[in-house]
Amino acid sequence: MSALSQAASNEAPLLELREVHAGYGHIHALKGVSLDVRPGEIVTLIGSNGAGKSTVLRCISGLLAPRSGVIRLRGMEIQGRQAHEVAALGIGHAPEGRRIFPKLTVDENLDIGAYLERDPAVIAARKQEVFMLFPRLAERRRQDGGTLSGGEQQMLAIGRALMQNPALLLLDEPTLGLAPVLVDTLFDTLKLLHAAGKTILLVEQNAWHALRLAQRAYVLETGRITHQGSAAVIADTPDVKRAYLGGD
């Protein structure tokens, strides 16, 4: 365990979910989900398609109000708040499917990510930090988002979320549909963010990569947490190996 991870393990959670239930119409998607994310950690949430992983992130970021349960950020209850209120409290969300603005330029997409910030100098500095993480975006800053490749659009979605300098970054399937070389590049970037102290809750279909990157992990199956613990222990759990890592 790194010194940063050790320090995180001794701190109070930045994010807490306690017995969160949520759904869509008659569909009960989350059935009492509880999890913690501490400052400076990367925590991954893995599970099969339809398990409810994206629903967890939507509840945290205010895109979906839970039916019951508690969500706390720095000890403050945030469940049921509007998405713009949650963003202002320090949660950035890069959703599944990227959801960039295709007819706006890279620069304009990033500016939208910083809509809560009024100081042009701060916005410019954050944009340069994004360009340092993703040099390809700097090369294409005047291009419309819709003309970028899938990998570049994913970089833009993450960069847009980083523009608000969030205390907690939610990443929903960031490698979905990317070529293997871009998957490796993206995970290298997440390592840089972690080294810089960024706290990340990662939903990722590539369980092998996610468990190698994260310090702790949760497994979600049909709306319930079935396994939790250090990422190394979860990766060595027989049920998890069989279901998500291709092991025996």
Side-chain angles (χ1 to χ4, degrees):
M1 181 181 292
S2 69
L4 185 62
S5 299
Q6 181 65 52
S9 69
N10 294 328
E11 291 191 52
L14 175 65
L15 175 76
E16 303 170 78
L17 275 67
R18 294 291 178 264
E19 290 295 320
V20 171
H21 292 255
Y24 309 91
H26 297 296
I27 299 173
H28 194 176
L30 302 182
K31 305 165 186 175
V33 170
S34 296
L35 60 82
D36 296 332
V37 182
R38 294 181 175 83
E41 283 189 312
I42 297 180
V43 174
T44 188
L45 181 62
I46 64 173
S48 60
N49 290 337
K53 305 184 301 297
S54 294
T55 302
V56 171
L57 298 193
R58 288 172 59 83
C59 286
I60 296 167
S61 66
L63 295 173
L64 178 68
R67 293 173 177 172
S68 63
V70 175
I71 303 174
R72 297 187 184 94
L73 181 70
R74 300 190 186 94
M76 177 192 303
E77 292 191 14
I78 63 170
Q79 70 276 2
R81 289 178 182 256
Q82 296 295 309
H84 68 277
E85 296 177 297
V86 174
L89 291 172
I91 293 181
H93 187 180
E96 182 181 2
R98 296 146 196 168
R99 308 285 180 89
I100 64 163
F101 296 95
K103 294 185 178 180
L104 299 182
T105 66
V106 167
D107 261 331
E108 290 166 338
N109 269 273
L110 293 177
D111 287 338
I112 287 174
Y115 76 98
L116 293 169
E117 178 57 56
R118 295 292 179 261
D119 187 337
V122 172
I123 294 172
R126 289 181 185 170
K127 194 176 292 186
Q128 287 307 309
E129 290 175 359
V130 170
F131 288 152
M132 288 179 66
L133 278 174
F134 301 113
R136 201 171 301 181
L137 294 182
E139 298 169 5
R140 289 156 173 71
R141 60 187 303 171
R142 308 301 180 197
Q143 285 185 223
D144 287 351
T147 68
L148 303 180
S149 69
E152 290 163 352
Q153 289 186 16
Q154 186 61 69
M155 295 173 193
L156 181 55
I158 295 173
R160 184 180 60 191
L162 289 170
M163 284 295 293
Q164 68 188 74
N165 191 29
L168 173 65
L169 179 62
L170 309 178
L171 298 179
D172 195 352
E173 302 286 11
T175 70
L176 188 64
L178 299 188
V181 64
L182 290 179
V183 171
D184 291 340
T185 298
L186 182 56
F187 272 93
D188 286 343
T189 301
L190 297 185
K191 289 177 185 176
L192 291 176
L193 288 173
H194 177 240
K198 189 62 69 179
T199 306
I200 300 172
L201 178 56
L202 170 67
V203 164
E204 176 53 48
Q205 43 117 23
N206 191 323
W208 185 83
H209 266 296
L211 290 170
R212 291 191 67 189
L213 176 71
Q215 289 74 60
R216 291 191 305 111
Y218 293 84
V219 179
L220 189 67
E221 297 179 1
T222 60
R224 292 185 172 89
I225 299 293
T226 58
H227 298 82
Q228 60 181 291
S230 76
V233 170
I234 295 297
D236 202 38
T237 301
D239 289 349
V240 174
K241 281 184 173 181
R242 284 192 294 270
Y244 306 110
L245 302 176
D248 295 328

